[in-house]
Amino acid sequence: IRSKKALVPLEALFVREGYDVIHAHTALSPLAIGATRVAKKLGIPSVMTEHSVLRGKGQALLSALHKIWGWADWPDVLSAVSHYVAKEVRAISGRRDVYVLPNGVNPREWKSTHAGRGGEPLRVTTVMRFTKRKKPHAVIRAIPKINALLPEDIRPIFTLVGDGPERARVEREIARLGVASQVELTGFRPRHEIREILARSSLFILPTSKEALSIATLEARCCGLPVVAMNHGGVGDLITSGREGYLANTRAEFIARIAEVMGDDALRARMSAATRRS
């Protein structure tokens, strides 16, 4: 009942403004689904873009709702930000015409003024919201294991850019493992500061396994960083494993690949050159 009432002002808005196209974002939003229903009723073309990994509960919920409402038939066009997500949307909707429209960034906006790392320490960087799904604590827990795989004279700095509800848990893990000397928590930073942090970094890592298409990884690649990421979600659209970085199938492999890249200057240079070219 609430949903139907919410669509009344939405329909009035569409009529009043005379929109040519309605673009709805993510089927996980009842408002987005409702917007395509109103658009269909009014004869306005609509596009729905899926930005999220839907597997598990999300996929089950949307499949059930489609059987009840047929919501996936309402948009004229369905798109997704990666091939991984497009495959999920096809499975839910039964439609084959799900287009891949990737997230994008302007490379010129990520061109750094930084002259180079020079004598700065090796730095492993990640940029994320500090939520359980993003797994910032997994980065901290990996540090002693990465250290064990590296020579004693190589101890990278791990820079985590971002903030959120998991920050306290991350800080507890740092204290528990005694790795404070290797960790830098920057909190939220504006884009120009993130760009300079990336420019001073040696490697970008993505610990999450539910990433539709990581914009932070795109930004890191624009700064010339090799990437080590978990081989789940849409990151496979951005990285060819062994060329611009590595895609790891397990946590153990994720840790081993980080250590491999950080311990091999020539490999890191080759991957950096490859990521700039492509």
Side-chain angles (χ1 to χ4, degrees):
I1 294 173
R2 287 178 182 176
S3 297
K4 289 181 179 179
K5 287 182 178 179
L7 296 183
V8 172
L10 193 65
E11 182 173 345
L13 174 70
F14 288 3
V15 171
R16 183 177 74 245
E17 298 298 330
Y19 297 125
D20 298 301
V21 178
I22 300 301
H23 189 186
H25 292 265
T26 184
L28 295 173
S29 163
L31 181 62
I33 292 177
T36 61
R37 177 68 184 91
V38 172
K40 189 177 184 69
K41 176 183 176 182
L42 297 175
I44 304 172
S46 67
V47 180
M48 177 176 282
T49 297
E50 187 52 61
H51 296 263
S52 303
V53 171
L54 303 172
R55 70 183 185 190
K57 293 181 180 178
Q59 192 163 0
L61 172 63
L62 291 176
S63 294
L65 291 179
H66 179 49
K67 290 176 182 177
I68 297 169
W69 292 343
W71 67 263
D73 297 327
W74 298 342
D76 293 285
V77 174
L78 283 172
S79 70
V81 296
S82 66
H83 287 86
Y84 184 95
V85 177
K87 183 178 179 180
E88 289 189 316
V89 175
R90 290 187 190 106
I92 291 169
S93 67
R95 290 175 57 167
R96 310 317 303 165
D97 60 335
V98 179
Y99 299 91
V100 177
L101 180 64
N103 292 327
V105 298
N106 185 340
R108 290 187 296 275
E109 294 179 0
W110 291 90
K111 185 176 180 180
S112 173
T113 58
H114 190 65
R117 286 200 320 105
E120 295 175 12
L122 293 173
R123 185 182 305 276
V124 178
T125 296
T126 189
V127 181
M128 64 172 69
R129 296 189 305 277
F130 280 30
T131 62
K132 288 182 179 180
R133 186 174 70 85
K134 297 291 185 178
K135 300 187 182 299
H137 56 279
V139 176
I140 306 305
R141 291 175 182 171
I143 294 174
K145 298 175 183 179
I146 294 168
N147 287 342
L149 296 172
L150 289 169
E152 290 186 4
D153 61 335
I154 299 179
R155 289 296 179 264
I157 301 298
F158 290 79
T159 298
L160 287 76
V161 181
D163 215 329
E166 288 291 291
R167 169 109 183 207
R169 183 182 179 189
V170 167
E171 291 172 342
R172 288 195 298 270
E173 285 297 287
I174 292 170
R176 182 179 71 84
L177 295 170
V179 294
S181 63
Q182 284 184 260
V183 178
E184 179 184 36
L185 302 180
T186 72
F188 287 118
R189 285 292 180 266
R191 294 177 68 196
H192 71 276
E193 289 188 24
I194 295 174
R195 182 184 63 211
E196 298 309 309
I197 291 170
L198 292 172
R200 296 195 303 270
S201 300
S202 312
L203 175 68
F204 183 85
I205 61 172
L206 187 71
T208 180
S209 59
K210 290 186 177 182
E211 201 72 49
L213 193 84
S214 169
I215 293 176
T217 299
L218 279 173
E219 293 164 349
R221 287 207 50 200
C222 288
C223 291
L225 289 186
V227 176
V228 174
M230 294 299 295
N231 190 21
H232 301 285
V235 72
D237 286 9
L238 305 178
I239 301 296
T240 300
S241 195
R243 188 173 70 186
E244 297 97 1
Y246 286 118
L247 299 175
N249 293 306
T250 65
R251 288 289 161 192
E253 185 184 358
F254 181 70
I255 290 165
R257 291 301 194 184
I258 293 171
E260 180 182 351
V261 175
M262 297 309 291
D264 190 332
D265 293 345
L267 173 64
R268 206 164 54 250
R270 285 199 307 272
M271 288 184 166
S272 179
T275 202
R276 290 181 188 277
R277 283 196 305 270
S278 61

